[in-house]
Amino acid sequence: MKKAFLMVLACLLLAGCGAPSETVTPTDSWPDSALAETNEAAAESPPATAPAEPLSAPAVVTAGQAPEEPYDLPTEVIGLKDWIGESRWNHDPVGLLAELPERELSLYGVTKWLDSSALLRWGDSLAEFSWSFGGPLIVEPQLWCWDVDSDGQEEVVVINHVDSGTGTSIEELHVVKKDGDGTLTDYCFPESLWQEDLSGLLSVVSDGDRTYTVLGADLVDLTDEIQTQFPDLNPAMIEDTSTGRWANFSVQSGTDGNGSDLFFTGSAMLEGREIPYDWYAAEITAAISYENGIFTLSDFHLNSLS
């Protein structure tokens, strides 16, 4: 009787050992298709990201100077291309490039030997600044006026294109304030903010068989483009990524319906000894704010160029 009881007990214990496990892992008995789907899902899973913190830097401050000469100021707006051509041939150095008559604002270009400067007239104030215009591409300067920093006083906003070419498109952003005595002071968006500081937020990461460029919470998959443009390039040979030589600024209607908003557009350039030219792999956009002499970039986004 005792022997029969022990045999029954052993059978019950063996039956309990056959209960299914809570964790299921692939085995050699799985179909090849199931293993392939599991490996592909792991390889294509993008890396984790987090939003980037805003970047801030003080403006480059320049006081407007009294004009070097008693220039004869024209009253008709002339296109930048025509001004450059006419001033060279007709020896007329000053051209009216943009104006806002309702704000008593006028922006003039002044050609000099292999150089140029700008005159800004704002009401009774007239000041000269060392701004340049054009470059190889003839891009018209832009002129606005509103209360940029919400201090109760309007500021002048000027965007001028200063350089262009293969892999290059650079604009400057100026916020000009008028003091109580009529002095005009330029607060220029610092080049270091969109070059060194913003470049520091960019990275290139590989996750499985995929390669991404990353900025904050956004990433762009570069895998297919690498295989198309550089089929022999090992992603590990991408040594660095930066904003290169690309910085454009724009003004759009304010989100609250009052005033306007400032925006930055740039690009992420990949660098490495095996990359033979400037390779811009993604577009960068960011919002710009200005207050108390400080510019801030925020709300970063990275967008595919394809």
Side-chain angles (χ1 to χ4, degrees):
M1 183 69 178
K2 181 177 180 181
K3 183 177 181 180
F5 171 77
L6 292 174
M7 291 178 66
V8 171
L9 180 60
C11 291
L12 291 173
L13 290 172
L14 289 172
C17 291
S21 171
E22 293 182 0
T23 302
V24 179
T25 57
T27 67
D28 292 339
S29 63
W30 279 34
D32 291 342
S33 60
L35 288 172
E37 290 176 2
T38 301
N39 293 335
E40 182 179 354
E44 294 183 357
S45 176
T49 60
E53 294 296 323
L55 295 173
S56 297
V60 178
V61 182
T62 305
Q65 302 298 311
E68 292 183 358
E69 303 176 23
Y71 298 113
D72 183 16
L73 301 180
T75 58
E76 297 293 328
V77 176
I78 186 172
L80 185 59
K81 182 177 181 179
D82 293 336
W83 165 63
I84 292 174
E86 289 189 7
S87 64
R88 287 176 178 172
W89 293 107
N90 299 333
H91 305 288
D92 184 9
V94 182
L96 176 57
L97 304 181
E99 65 176 349
L100 296 175
E102 69 279 9
R103 294 289 199 278
E104 296 185 294
L105 270 171
S106 301
L107 176 65
Y108 305 88
V110 181
T111 56
K112 299 179 180 181
W113 180 249
L114 299 178
D115 199 0
S116 65
S117 66
L119 292 174
L120 182 65
R121 184 186 65 80
W122 189 357
D124 295 330
S125 299
L126 179 67
E128 188 164 3
F129 296 95
S130 59
W131 305 338
S132 60
F133 301 101
L137 286 178
I138 305 300
V139 180
E140 301 289 340
Q142 303 169 58
L143 179 66
W144 290 273
C145 184
W146 80 92
D147 186 1
V148 177
D149 53 4
S150 301
D151 65 350
Q153 302 292 326
E154 289 187 333
E155 287 80 34
V156 172
V157 173
V158 176
I159 296 175
N160 57 307
H161 198 276
V162 297
D163 198 8
S164 58
T166 303
T168 301
S169 178
I170 299 176
E171 291 179 333
E172 291 178 342
L173 170 64
H174 305 272
V175 175
V176 180
K177 300 181 75 70
K178 181 192 284 190
D179 296 335
D181 61 358
T183 301
L184 302 183
T185 304
D186 171 30
Y187 295 81
C188 182
F189 190 96
E191 189 176 85
S192 61
L193 187 54
W194 67 263
Q195 283 193 337
E196 291 88 347
D197 297 348
L198 184 53
S199 292
L201 297 182
L202 291 166
S203 62
V204 174
V205 299
S206 292
D207 190 49
D209 295 330
R210 315 300 294 180
T211 300
Y212 306 87
T213 181
V214 181
L215 173 59
D218 290 352
L219 51 80
V220 171
D221 192 334
L222 303 175
T223 309
D224 295 339
E225 189 170 0
I226 291 175
Q227 293 174 352
T228 299
Q229 295 199 39
F230 306 100
D232 298 326
L233 177 66
N234 182 341
M237 299 303 292
I238 300 175
E239 299 171 2
D240 197 7
T241 181
S242 71
T243 53
R245 296 176 296 279
W246 200 282
N248 297 148
F249 301 93
S250 61
V251 175
Q252 300 178 19
S253 297
T255 54
D256 59 359
N258 298 314
S260 300
D261 293 329
L262 292 166
F263 293 92
F264 169 85
T265 302
S267 291
M269 186 178 78
L270 304 186
E271 303 175 8
R273 287 171 293 177
E274 302 300 318
I275 301 175
Y277 53 82
D278 293 344
W279 179 22
Y280 289 100
E283 178 191 67
I284 301 169
T285 61
I288 300 172
S289 59
Y290 168 81
E291 186 175 7
N292 296 327
I294 303 294
F295 282 100
T296 299
L297 286 174
S298 62
D299 192 22
F300 301 100
H301 290 287
L302 195 64
N303 309 302
S304 174
L305 293 177
S306 58

